[in-house]
Amino acid sequence: MADQSEVPAEYTDRSDEHPFDIGERGGRVASAAHDIGGFIRAQREAAQVSLRQLAQLAGVSNPYLSQIERGLRNPSAEVLTQIAKALRVSSEVLYVRAGYLEQRAPSPVRDALLADTSITERQRQALLEIYESFRREAEEAMRGERMGQRRSAGTTHTPPRQENEPL
């Protein structure tokens, strides 16, 4: 199982960090682990699923899931995906809670897709990708329009000369 080969985040090599930053980073890791654990527990309780049932559905051991919920372990992205599928919530929501992804700007469409439990995770991801591609296209089009307006604002527009008009 993925949970036995996992190395806690505070023991991973961070040779590029200053050695005195360990306490602060350790605090952030513990805080993220506690936050994701509490969130998973709340989702599990709201779904009326026992700890043992969720562990079985997610393919992790009962003690490991218990440690995650109590904030003692910080699960890998793979384990979070398994838990998300078992709870029928978006993996992205768990990734943000665990600190693997940054929170995106609020979007009512995105929030509705993430909250919808009537679609599968695969369907949700497909819809989110389509939605994001539309947003990117719209942003690029707006940027292009603004650039065109800036270019035309810098030059004076001279109407074309008529054929019989004197020079």
Side-chain angles (χ1 to χ4, degrees):
M1 279 190 213
D3 58 325
Q4 292 178 347
S5 64
E6 185 175 290
V7 176
E10 62 261 32
Y11 295 114
T12 56
D13 179 31
R14 303 277 179 128
S15 55
D16 58 327
E17 292 184 0
H18 194 276
F20 297 111
D21 293 339
I22 292 173
E24 182 183 332
R25 183 181 28 124
R28 285 194 313 262
V29 169
S31 176
H34 185 68
D35 185 42
I36 187 64
F39 183 76
I40 290 170
R41 174 178 281 158
Q43 293 298 310
R44 177 179 60 76
E45 290 172 350
Q48 297 179 339
V49 176
S50 72
L51 184 75
R52 188 177 306 272
Q53 289 171 323
L54 179 57
Q56 186 176 18
L57 289 169
V60 297
S61 72
N62 194 33
Y64 180 61
L65 183 57
S66 175
Q67 290 174 351
I68 291 171
E69 284 192 356
R70 290 181 288 142
L72 301 176
R73 297 287 298 262
N74 201 7
S76 67
E78 180 184 330
V79 170
L80 286 176
T81 300
Q82 293 168 232
I83 292 171
K85 284 179 185 174
L87 289 172
R88 293 187 53 84
V89 297
S90 169
S91 299
E92 185 174 349
V93 170
L94 294 185
Y95 294 161
V96 169
R97 286 286 187 150
Y100 290 124
L101 288 178
E102 289 186 24
Q103 182 81 36
R104 294 186 185 196
S107 161
V109 173
R110 176 179 251 322
D111 294 344
L113 288 171
L114 292 174
D116 192 342
T117 58
S118 66
I119 59 176
T120 67
E121 181 65 22
R122 184 169 173 249
Q123 292 168 329
R124 182 178 294 112
Q125 290 304 321
L127 289 170
L128 286 170
E129 286 174 19
I130 292 167
Y131 176 65
E132 289 301 325
S133 72
F134 286 158
R135 285 183 60 148
R136 280 192 302 273
E137 285 179 22
E139 285 177 16
E140 289 171 12
M142 287 176 58
R143 214 174 301 129
E145 287 175 10
R146 278 186 258 151
M147 292 300 287
Q149 289 172 355
R150 285 185 193 140
R151 277 191 221 116
S152 65
T155 61
T156 58
H157 179 66
T158 308
R161 195 172 57 91
Q162 301 293 326
E163 282 185 34
N164 57 1
E165 195 176 311
L167 292 173

